Amino acid sequence: MSEPVIAQKGPFPVELEAGKTYFWCACGKSAKQPFCDGSHKGSGFTPIAYKAETSGEVWFCGCKHSGDKPFCDGTHATL
């Protein structure tokens, strides 16, 4: 697979806890979007680890094409 699957054409709002590490799904196949569930195995994709510095809401990319992974940068509007 050379292109990730578009999980959704819009961001996922997520509440993060300071100090916790999250693994964002880069392949788009995870059933636990926007987080990795291991579905990427054998695809050439690997999840992106993100350690939250503060608690609060962030917007993780749902289209998997953001230039600011794991965050949404609006790229989904052009797909």
Side-chain angles (χ1 to χ4, degrees):
M1 171 172 19
S2 60
E3 290 289 319
V5 172
I6 297 172
Q8 74 177 24
K9 283 193 173 183
F12 289 97
V14 179
E15 283 291 326
L16 302 182
E17 182 182 326
K20 186 173 177 184
T21 300
Y22 299 84
F23 292 89
W24 176 78
C25 167
C27 72
K29 294 172 131 186
S30 174
K32 296 184 178 187
Q33 291 294 331
F35 303 112
C36 178
D37 69 0
S39 295
H40 65 276
K41 290 186 170 62
S43 70
F45 287 96
T46 56
I48 293 177
Y50 175 74
K51 185 171 184 178
E53 294 179 15
T54 59
S55 294
E57 186 177 64
V58 298
W59 296 82
F60 278 147
C61 174
C63 74
K64 311 304 177 182
H65 289 80
S66 173
D68 190 25
K69 296 174 177 107
F71 303 105
C72 175
D73 69 356
T75 298
H76 60 271
T78 65
L79 299 176

